[in-house]
Amino acid sequence: MSRTNRSQVLLHRANYRQRRLRDAAKLLPVLGILLWAIPLTWPATSQDDQAGVGSAGLIYVFGVWVLLIVLGGALASVMRPIIEPPEVEGTEKE
């Protein structure tokens, strides 16, 4: 059996972290939808409350909203533009 030379594509640690932060930012809307759907499963507290979302549900929804804003702001402040890796010796850019 002969081994073929495969070039491995490795990302620098800083670039890898930035990509994971961008992935986390892309998942924030999905997290928000899932968290906002939780009050819909709560049982009705009284006969008049048909949807089951009372004042506690509204507080929950606005709390999730504030949480998403804070998480989005924190992710935005940490993210930077992706820095290209340094050139390898012996290669020239055209």
Side-chain angles (χ1 to χ4, degrees):
M1 286 188 157
S2 66
R3 287 189 171 174
T4 59
N5 290 336
R6 293 184 186 181
S7 62
Q8 294 181 348
V9 178
L10 298 175
L11 296 175
H12 289 277
R13 186 170 287 183
N15 288 350
Y16 179 79
R17 287 185 182 148
Q18 288 299 313
R19 288 181 189 226
R20 297 299 73 87
L21 286 171
R22 290 178 197 276
D23 291 343
K26 290 176 187 176
L27 287 177
L28 270 181
V30 175
L31 176 67
I33 289 171
L34 291 175
L35 289 175
W36 277 339
I38 290 175
L40 298 175
T41 62
W42 291 349
T45 55
S46 67
Q47 297 296 333
D48 298 333
D49 191 14
Q50 303 237 343
V53 180
S55 60
L58 289 175
I59 292 171
Y60 174 82
V61 167
F62 283 106
V64 168
W65 183 44
V66 169
L67 177 71
L68 289 172
I69 291 171
V70 169
L71 286 175
L75 285 173
S77 69
V78 175
M79 284 193 293
R80 302 183 310 264
I82 295 178
I83 302 168
E84 293 297 321
E87 292 182 27
V88 179
E89 291 182 24
T91 61
E92 294 181 15
K93 239 182 178 175
E94 294 180 15

